Amino acid sequence: MSYPPYSGSGYPQQGGYPAQQQPGYGGYPPQGGYPQPDPYGAPGGYPSQYGAGYPSQPAGGAPGYPPQPGGQPCYGMQYPQQPAPGGYPAQPGYPQQTMGGYPAQPPGGGGYPQQQGYGIAPGGCYQPGAPGTCAPGNPGAYGGGGMPPPVVGAQTLPTGQGTVRPHPSFNPEEDAKVLRKAMKGIGTDEKAIIDVLSHRSNDQRQKIKNMFKTMFGKDLISELKSELTSHLEQAVVALMMTPVEYDAEQIHNAIAGAGTKEGVLIEIFCTRSNKRIEEIKALYKSKYGRDLEKHLMDDTSGHFRRLMVALSTGNRIENQPVDYQKARQDAQGLFEAGEKTLGTDESTFNSILCSQSFEQLRVVFQEYRRIANKGLDQAIKSEMSGNLEKGMVALVHVIENIYNYFADRLHHAMKGAGTADDTLIRVVVTRCEVDMVQIKQEYQRSYGRTLEAAIEGDASGDYKKMLLALVQG
């Protein structure tokens, strides 16, 4: 009797035993790992957030599941197939194993992907419960209906891709010279300014700013302000600030002086990471001499104040394994705090939506739909009003699909007579290096035309050229 030759790698096959194939024993498959440090603790850019866009989905469903009729791919909670055999090489003398270690992560990585750029809030199922999506109880969801068993550390998040990327041949000295020439003498060469600043990452723009002062003894932002006007000036100055500086300034402008721009507060606090919020608070204190939480409390009121203060703590649970039993309990708690009772217990909504991870909350939303036969955002609209309603609904939409949330913000900024230029500039500047590719896709899907076409029809002159350069890349 002879044995087949050994074809594996690692330790050679020992005599007297057949080669082991161990198709199910794959060791630990590749993990997406922990997030890279957010670059905005120091001056940095708005680089791509979460990798490289939505992972490709087969028609009708998430990877590893049978196609669902009429379904949309679900980008929120996916349970992919086990990986192909791999890991440790075959060992002699041990029987085949059936376990597969941790489940494989989808393209783009598992765990918290890179937290880079302005926003961090991951996207997910925008329409939980729609045919073919991953709502509990949906036949075919998870490959056969019902709730799958818990998966430790399941962080299958979609990824985002920016339209503005670092310039491969970046030379801060040459760029500083170009900008100096564009502003020297009579008149201003706006095209040269747009060409440089719209094709450099924020990190590169910070280097240009420093080099400009070194070479010419002048502050670049001050020079740009003196040469540009109106919305073009506003957009250029926003590009020249670090992301944390810009967020802090936007928050300060929203709550300082007469009136409060609640939409700005909702947008920033609902879409920034714990780390980013901590950086914003530290910079806010040093730049404006006030504690941000106390400033928010002085300028807001009621349950909306509680929502903003809760979000501004930057204490949301992260890297939380999905707990399906807790999700069912929380969904039932939300139902009993709202639709099931006379009046609304807003504190229950606040405590659940502001504390749990986005991955956990997506499952809560799916369970809520199963219990109430409607989305949580619909329930909030019927139970709350005013700024609290706007804030809670925005938070739900961000958790379900952040790309659609920003597409909606852009649409309403350009909808009807006039333009909300502050919102348009803020969203374009803060997302162009993060996930503008996906936002553009959502915009076209939702509104039937491209974002570029909308900007073409709503902006003008060099301001329009700058916006288009940023969204086109």
Side-chain angles (χ1 to χ4, degrees):
M1 177 176 177
S2 61
Y3 294 99
Y6 176 69
S7 59
S9 60
Y11 289 102
Q13 181 73 23
Q14 303 299 315
Y17 293 95
Q20 306 297 318
Q21 301 300 320
Q22 303 183 8
Y25 188 72
Y28 290 93
Q31 302 297 313
Y34 293 96
Q36 298 300 312
D38 192 313
Y40 297 123
Y46 314 93
S48 299
Q49 181 185 29
Y50 297 129
Y54 283 98
S56 298
Q57 305 293 332
Y65 300 95
Q68 304 302 315
Q72 300 181 41
C74 171
Y75 301 115
M77 301 297 299
Q78 301 170 2
Y79 295 85
Q81 293 175 331
Q82 294 296 319
Y88 292 106
Q91 302 300 318
Y94 287 90
Q96 289 186 344
Q97 306 296 315
T98 58
M99 57 184 173
Y102 289 109
Q105 305 301 321
Y112 276 98
Q114 290 187 340
Q115 306 290 340
Q116 297 184 345
Y118 265 99
I120 62 82
C125 300
Y126 184 63
Q127 295 177 323
T133 63
C134 54
N138 177 13
Y142 309 110
M147 186 66 72
V151 179
V152 176
Q155 310 283 359
T156 52
L157 308 179
T159 54
Q161 183 179 8
T163 47
V164 175
R165 302 174 182 87
H167 196 283
S169 303
F170 175 60
N171 186 324
E173 184 177 348
E174 289 302 315
D175 286 345
K177 290 178 180 178
V178 170
L179 293 176
R180 172 63 172 163
K181 182 179 179 181
M183 296 183 286
K184 188 176 181 181
I186 299 174
T188 304
D189 185 352
E190 288 87 355
K191 182 180 183 302
I193 294 173
I194 293 170
D195 287 345
V196 170
L197 299 184
S198 66
H199 295 96
R200 305 295 186 272
S201 68
N202 186 266
D203 180 66
Q204 291 176 338
R205 291 192 290 270
Q206 301 310 311
K207 290 181 172 66
I208 295 171
K209 181 171 67 175
N210 293 335
M211 181 59 70
F212 191 93
K213 180 172 284 189
T214 300
M215 293 176 67
F216 306 112
K218 294 184 177 181
D219 179 73
L220 178 55
I221 293 180
S222 298
E223 291 294 293
L224 289 166
K225 284 182 176 180
S226 69
E227 295 290 330
L228 305 174
T229 60
S230 191
H231 300 309
L232 176 62
E233 175 193 344
Q234 188 179 347
V236 166
V237 170
L239 287 169
M240 294 307 303
M241 300 176 74
T242 68
V244 176
E245 288 172 341
Y246 186 62
D247 277 350
E249 182 183 83
Q250 290 291 293
I251 293 170
H252 182 262
N253 291 345
I255 56 181
T260 303
K261 298 177 181 177
E262 289 86 358
V264 177
L265 302 179
I266 292 168
E267 178 188 312
I268 293 176
F269 286 120
C270 287
T271 61
R272 300 320 193 238
S273 68
N274 289 349
K275 185 174 186 293
R276 172 59 55 73
I277 291 171
E278 287 301 318
E279 292 170 341
I280 291 170
K281 290 193 295 185
L283 190 146
Y284 196 94
K285 182 70 175 288
S286 64
K287 184 173 182 178
Y288 301 109
R290 294 199 62 178
D291 180 82
L292 178 55
E293 182 179 318
K294 291 180 180 177
H295 204 174
L296 286 168
M297 292 182 69
D298 290 343
D299 215 66
T300 56
S301 61
H303 288 288
F304 179 69
R305 172 198 287 166
R306 296 182 187 181
L307 175 63
M308 290 296 100
V309 169
L311 291 173
S312 71
T313 62
N315 255 344
R316 184 181 297 280
I317 298 171
E318 294 179 343
N319 293 312
Q320 177 186 26
V322 175
D323 184 333
Y324 296 99
Q325 182 176 353
K326 186 178 188 307
R328 287 189 284 270
Q329 293 171 350
D330 284 346
Q332 185 66 39
L334 290 169
F335 181 66
E336 292 176 359
E339 292 190 281
K340 192 178 178 181
T341 187
L342 183 63
T344 306
D345 180 5
E346 291 87 351
S347 63
T348 297
F349 283 79
N350 210 66
S351 64
I352 293 173
L353 295 183
C354 295
S355 66
Q356 302 301 296
S357 72
F358 282 18
E359 295 77 20
Q360 178 74 15
L361 286 171
R362 289 192 194 103
V363 182
V364 173
F365 297 166
Q366 293 160 11
E367 278 294 290
Y368 188 92
R369 182 176 290 275
R370 182 183 63 80
I371 293 168
N373 200 31
K374 65 165 62 173
L376 183 60
D377 57 342
Q378 296 172 286
I380 289 170
K381 289 176 181 178
S382 65
E383 294 290 325
M384 302 178 191
S385 61
N387 291 321
L388 178 63
E389 175 197 336
K390 293 176 184 177
M392 288 286 186
V393 169
L395 185 54
V396 171
H397 286 177
V398 166
I399 293 166
E400 289 180 335
N401 187 332
I402 192 172
Y403 311 136
N404 187 277
Y405 168 78
F406 279 114
D408 187 64
R409 292 286 287 167
L410 289 168
H411 173 70
H412 283 90
M414 297 182 281
K415 182 181 177 182
T419 304
D421 292 288
D422 288 352
T423 299
L424 179 58
I425 292 169
R426 185 176 57 254
V427 174
V428 170
V429 168
T430 61
R431 310 312 295 186
C432 65
E433 294 181 51
V434 179
D435 49 13
M436 185 56 71
V437 170
Q438 285 69 38
I439 292 170
K440 287 165 61 177
Q441 292 168 352
E442 284 290 329
Y443 191 96
Q444 186 160 7
R445 182 186 68 80
S446 298
Y447 304 110
R449 65 171 179 166
T450 65
L451 177 58
E452 290 91 333
I455 292 172
E456 280 276 6
D458 215 71
S460 62
D462 292 315
Y463 170 50
K464 177 177 73 174
K465 292 176 184 177
M466 173 61 88
L467 293 177
L468 288 175
L470 293 172
V471 302
Q472 288 171 345

